[in-house]
Amino acid sequence: MDTTQLLKGVLDLAVLAVLREEDGYGYDILRRLRAAGLEEIGDASVYGTLRRLFAAGYLTTYVVPSEEGPHRKYYALNPAGRSQLKQGREIWRGFASTMDSLLQES
Amino acid sequence: MNEDIARYTAAVTAALSDLPVAQREELLEDLPAHLAEVASEGGSLVDRLGTPTAYAAELRATLAPVPRGHRFTVEPLLARWRPVDRRLGPLFGHERFTDFAVLLRPAWWILRGYFAAFLLAAPLGGGGPQALIPRLGSSLLGGLVLTAGCVLGSLWLGRTTAVNRRRGLRVFGGIATAVTALFGFVYLLNADGNLSGSRPAPAYAEQSSTSNVVLVDAQGHLVTGVRVLDLDTGDWAAVRVYTCDDGGIAAGLLSQDDWSWRYPALAQYCARLRGQNGFPTPDLSATGSPAGSPAPGPSVSPSAGAGPSAGPSASPSPGPSATR
């Protein structure tokens, strides 16, 4: 079992979490996730997740012109996204502590 | 570099060709712009992102699982609508027409509540077919309260279903909307038919029924067995009969102005009768019935379905004292 399998279930939550403090564009979000330790994550996963979260109404977008290079599409959490993040965090904490106690070596 | 992006996008699209068109379009809509961002970081796309096939496989994994059992979807229709949506949008000052339509939703919620009030009041005889405010029984105040309640309820339902995605509530909202829309449409058609004069409403008030009425000819002889033929259809016509009482026209039935305006020929006839010195007294011996009892013979009686055109054509013959 590798982390990619585990990531699938929590990718939404991870993306929402890195957008909590600061809006970001696709590649920047990928960089933040990798910097946070999710190194196996791929660009397509982040792009696809952003599209899906946007379609679900959790994110808003705006375009920022860039001096060197193409325009960048920034994603930001909206209130629905924030409440989704809050809910996801609680579910994750309960799940993680259950798994911790299951896996504890005595 | 743009060629690189186009080639990469095409390859990813091809690898996802089995997806429903709408889903694929939505997923890949932003891909060229995104790849341009990635490309601006330097290096070729394949170096940074791996092969298009691998990229497509990773993308596919991020798709929400498709719920089973939903064979029929509106996705193909939506896919066709989207370009039209975008083209219409600027005409209304928005990116998409849908954005504009969403702004109009509260207005529709109010209209839905308004018609729902008619729908609820209908079993209680809520106002005529062209009432603008429903009646609760015959109470206008009750109707106003009902309308206000329905409008508020509809606004609440609209707000709630817009935010809350609970299935039961949405289904209920959908059914309520469909029924109300159908009812409202029929109601409007009906009211429009009435107001545009295809069926003019009687201009006089219902009067308590008049008894002791007979038909007599100009000499005062009782006329029996009268029937009125509609010359247009060849059928027996339903008839309304108006009176020219001594001195007054159609007392209690129509105001003089209204009446004579509507049926000028009848007005002239009555005026002529008035010019003669009084009316002849009916000779009731013709039927042998006691004076004062309703005449059995004349089939001239108020008839709800009577067209107004039947009135004037019927009236001149009976003479002085017919009534409706």
Side-chain angles (χ1 to χ4, degrees):
Chain A
M1 177 182 241
D2 56 10
T3 15
T4 352
Q5 283 291 320
L6 291 172
L7 253 179
K8 255 180 94 170
V10 292
L11 197 54
D12 288 17
L13 197 52
V15 169
L16 290 173
V18 297
L19 285 173
R20 185 186 46 202
E21 295 301 332
E22 205 186 335
D23 304 347
Y25 61 93
Y27 204 72
D28 173 47
I29 293 168
L30 174 67
R31 227 175 347 223
R32 287 193 223 166
L33 287 167
R34 284 185 174 161
L38 299 172
E39 277 149 26
E40 298 85 349
I41 217 161
D43 180 75
S45 303
V46 174
Y47 170 80
T49 303
L50 283 170
R51 293 298 302 165
R52 189 157 44 74
L53 290 173
F54 175 72
Y58 298 135
L59 303 177
T60 50
T61 64
Y62 54 92
V63 172
V64 174
S66 154
E67 280 170 24
E68 77 289 345
H71 295 342
R72 282 171 175 162
K73 191 170 196 172
Y74 274 73
Y75 290 85
L77 287 186
N78 62 18
R82 285 186 191 286
S83 87
Q84 180 71 9
L85 172 60
K86 194 167 160 243
Q87 211 181 330
R89 184 168 40 207
E90 276 154 27
I91 293 172
W92 171 256
R93 284 196 177 143
F95 181 76
S97 82
T98 306
M99 286 307 291
D100 276 349
S101 60
L102 257 181
L103 297 173
Q104 210 161 31
E105 294 175 81
S106 48
Chain B
M1 182 154 77
N2 282 334
E3 274 174 41
D4 197 15
I5 292 170
R7 213 176 313 122
Y8 202 91
T9 307
V12 172
T13 309
L16 295 172
S17 60
D18 59 310
L19 290 179
V21 179
Q23 192 181 24
R24 193 177 63 215
E25 275 179 7
E26 191 172 291
L27 181 65
L28 300 179
E29 191 179 33
D30 254 1
L31 189 62
H34 175 72
L35 292 180
E37 278 176 20
V38 174
S40 71
E41 310 272 330
S44 84
L45 285 175
V46 176
D47 286 346
R48 297 195 74 92
L49 303 174
T51 66
T53 323
Y55 194 89
E58 197 181 326
L59 258 186
R60 189 192 292 274
T62 68
L63 289 174
V66 179
R68 288 169 182 230
H70 286 277
R71 293 271 127 185
F72 173 81
T73 66
V74 289
E75 278 304 319
L77 286 176
L78 278 180
R80 255 187 227 179
W81 160 245
R82 258 180 218 122
V84 182
D85 199 16
R86 264 162 220 262
R87 209 164 304 151
L88 283 177
L91 295 177
F92 297 88
H94 290 267
E95 193 183 334
R96 297 178 308 168
F97 177 74
T98 313
D99 298 336
F100 175 66
V102 163
L103 290 178
L104 292 181
R105 265 192 323 195
W108 161 239
W109 293 339
I110 290 173
L111 196 63
R112 177 175 65 178
Y114 175 66
F115 281 122
F118 278 103
L119 189 60
L120 290 179
L124 299 166
Q130 49 186 348
L132 292 178
I133 300 169
R135 305 286 194 279
L136 206 55
S138 59
S139 158
L140 178 62
L141 183 67
L144 282 172
V145 171
L146 177 71
T147 308
C150 285
V151 167
L152 288 177
S154 175
L155 282 171
W156 175 85
L157 186 66
R159 283 295 315 151
T160 312
T161 45
V163 179
N164 185 335
R165 294 182 170 258
R166 226 165 61 212
R167 195 174 160 75
L169 199 65
R170 294 177 80 83
V171 168
F172 171 74
I175 292 174
T177 303
V179 170
T180 313
L182 185 67
F183 174 81
F185 183 64
V186 172
Y187 188 89
L188 275 185
L189 279 186
N190 215 349
D192 181 66
N194 284 331
L195 291 174
S196 64
S198 60
R199 258 193 295 145
Y204 51 84
E206 282 298 328
Q207 198 203 237
S208 58
S209 68
T210 309
S211 57
N212 293 348
V213 171
V214 292
L215 270 184
V216 293
D217 66 15
Q219 279 71 48
H221 298 298
L222 191 67
V223 181
T224 61
V226 172
R227 290 176 131 185
V228 179
L229 188 67
D230 185 326
L231 295 177
D232 287 335
T233 64
D235 287 330
W236 299 121
V239 178
R240 277 181 182 146
V241 179
Y242 300 96
T243 65
C244 323
D245 279 345
D246 44 348
I249 297 174
L253 289 176
L254 293 162
S255 78
Q256 185 165 343
D257 290 345
D258 181 27
W259 187 85
S260 51
W261 168 78
R262 212 177 249 267
Y263 308 126
L266 186 53
Q268 276 169 22
Y269 175 79
C270 287
R272 209 166 68 232
L273 275 185
R274 269 203 307 285
Q276 293 167 6
N277 224 351
F279 295 94
T281 312
D283 170 17
L284 296 174
S285 63
T287 56
S289 63
S293 75
S299 63
V300 191
S301 60
S303 166
S309 64
S313 65
S315 298
S317 57
S321 89
T323 190
R324 101 172 207 87

